[in-house]
Amino acid sequence: MSATAPKPPLRVVLCAPRGFCAGVVRAVDIVERALQRYGAPVYVRHEIVHNKFVVDSLKAKGVIFIKELSEAPPGPHPVIFSAHGVTKAVPEEAKARNLFTIDATCPLVTKVHREAQVHFKRGRRIILIGHAGHPEVVGTMGQLPPGRVTLASSISDVKRLEPDDGRPIAYITQTTLSVDDTREIVAALKTRFPAIYGPPNEDICYATTNRQEAVKAAARQVEAAIVVGAANSSNSQRLREVAEREGCAAQLVADERGIDWAALTNVGSVAVTAGASAPEALVERVLGALSARYDVTIETLTTTSESMIFPLPRDLREPA
Ligand code: SF4
């Protein structure tokens, strides 16, 4: 494109809600308050949330990200557990090593942990719908002794489950799944095990549900979609899939540098959204990059409003 050529028009439909959820805001606030109160370094086990921009900004403020507790020394500097939650063994190990810990697990993940424990106490066989290896799934399965939770990621997995063995059976879910896929998996579970116990509205969290609804509505009006989020962010990946299913050429980008411009050739309208761990600053950078190449008109499509706030742990409620 020459410097004087007029920019092609582009209609941008900006999804609302998008971006940070209450669990992510709380987790990031916990780390920042801990830095103020206890001073650097503060240790965080695994990425506090799945976003490199957030992780790098916290690193610059004195946070040390660790993989295992053995990398943190005992003493006054806390070790924070990420929003995804941890297995029961992690706080136990921390206690044994005399570490000072703060739990930033999202309360909606903790709710699923409690459901798992209740089903276990009642002698139920437990099926977890979720993605193998995701930290939240590892943490939820790790609330109970090994082998007590069976993971099912698809309808084929449901078909392969052991037949009814006379024990009552229950299901729980990862919080960041595709609403539509999960509904189908739950239906398959109910067909195989009609008396199965489950949560009233699955365990998919409000933020995942709302972001998927918004991108679905936007995707019906546009030709392409850009989801701002990390490749390892489950809820961001699901947003991309939802948009794709509505017939959009959808791309997941960490920031504006990841935009596949070739995929936008001859595209006149694009939806823009962001996963629950992607900061608004990155959405603004993406909009800036679109504006540099196109004559952009932005309209916001709001499918619902959110007012969820999760309180900080008591010790961190007042700034130091
Ligand atoms: S996506 Fe949902 S479960 Fe995960 S941190 Fe946000 S509110 Fe909590």
Side-chain angles (χ1 to χ4, degrees):
M1 192 190 306
S2 86
T4 52
K7 292 193 263 187
L10 183 70
R11 176 174 162 247
V12 173
V13 179
L14 194 52
C15 301
R18 65 177 176 279
F20 272 15
C21 60
V24 165
V25 169
R26 176 177 179 271
V28 174
D29 281 355
I30 285 175
V31 178
E32 292 193 330
R33 287 279 176 99
L35 277 168
Q36 287 168 12
R37 184 160 297 235
Y38 306 107
V42 157
Y43 296 86
V44 176
R45 187 181 173 278
H46 294 176
E47 290 190 334
I48 185 74
V49 299
H50 280 154
N51 192 276
K52 187 174 180 312
F53 180 86
V54 173
V55 166
D56 287 347
S57 348
L58 292 172
K59 273 185 191 164
K61 293 177 184 172
V63 173
I64 298 176
F65 287 88
I66 57 173
K67 283 197 175 139
E68 298 306 333
L69 292 180
S70 54
E71 297 166 55
H77 296 287
V79 180
I80 301 175
F81 302 147
S82 84
H84 305 104
V86 292
T87 65
K88 269 207 155 163
V90 172
E92 284 166 9
E93 184 194 339
K95 198 170 171 202
R97 297 195 56 236
N98 246 336
L99 297 177
F100 166 31
T101 61
I102 302 175
D103 189 1
T105 304
C106 176
L108 298 182
V109 174
T110 304
K111 172 181 145 277
V112 181
H113 291 181
R114 291 214 186 97
E115 284 171 24
Q117 285 153 358
V118 167
H119 291 313
F120 180 64
K121 272 192 198 141
R122 295 187 180 165
R124 294 172 183 156
R125 203 178 139 190
I126 303 167
I127 313 298
L128 168 62
I129 305 173
H131 297 290
H134 188 278
E136 181 188 323
V137 165
V138 173
T140 300
M141 294 183 83
Q143 297 306 305
L144 299 179
R148 302 313 292 257
V149 179
T150 308
L151 187 64
S153 306
S154 62
I155 291 179
S156 333
D157 286 352
V158 171
K159 288 185 183 148
R160 280 195 291 270
L161 288 172
E162 297 288 323
D164 193 340
D165 58 6
R167 272 184 301 160
I169 183 164
Y171 75 88
I172 51 179
T173 81
Q174 191 179 335
T175 57
T176 51
L177 299 176
S178 152
V179 172
D180 293 337
D181 286 353
T182 307
R183 199 172 290 136
E184 288 171 13
I185 298 173
V186 169
L189 272 173
K190 286 183 174 166
T191 303
R192 278 209 67 188
F193 308 103
I196 194 164
Y197 293 90
N201 300 306
E202 288 115 37
D203 296 307
I204 298 174
C205 75
Y206 80 98
T208 298
T209 306
N210 292 348
R211 279 150 194 67
Q212 286 179 21
E213 269 173 15
V215 82
K216 191 188 266 188
R220 288 177 180 155
Q221 305 184 11
V222 295
E223 297 152 76
I226 297 176
V227 179
V228 184
N232 61 346
S233 157
S234 168
N235 79 86
S236 303
Q237 288 285 7
R238 304 294 83 79
L239 290 175
R240 183 186 54 73
E241 290 168 5
V242 169
E244 251 167 18
R245 277 188 203 166
E246 295 303 318
C248 273
Q251 44 181 305
L252 174 64
V253 301
D255 56 35
E256 77 287 3
R257 292 167 295 182
I259 297 174
D260 176 2
W261 295 106
L264 298 180
T265 308
N266 298 325
V267 161
S269 54
V270 63
V272 174
T273 187
S277 45
E280 187 64 9
L282 297 181
V283 175
E284 281 164 17
R285 278 165 48 177
V286 164
L287 294 177
L290 291 172
S291 300
R293 289 183 176 234
Y294 295 91
D295 181 11
V296 163
T297 50
I298 298 180
E299 44 189 271
T300 300
L301 178 69
T302 306
T303 44
T304 190
S305 60
E306 291 179 346
S307 54
M308 188 78 83
I309 296 173
F310 296 136
L312 293 175
R314 193 180 305 273
D315 289 351
L316 294 175
R317 279 188 204 158
E318 295 305 320

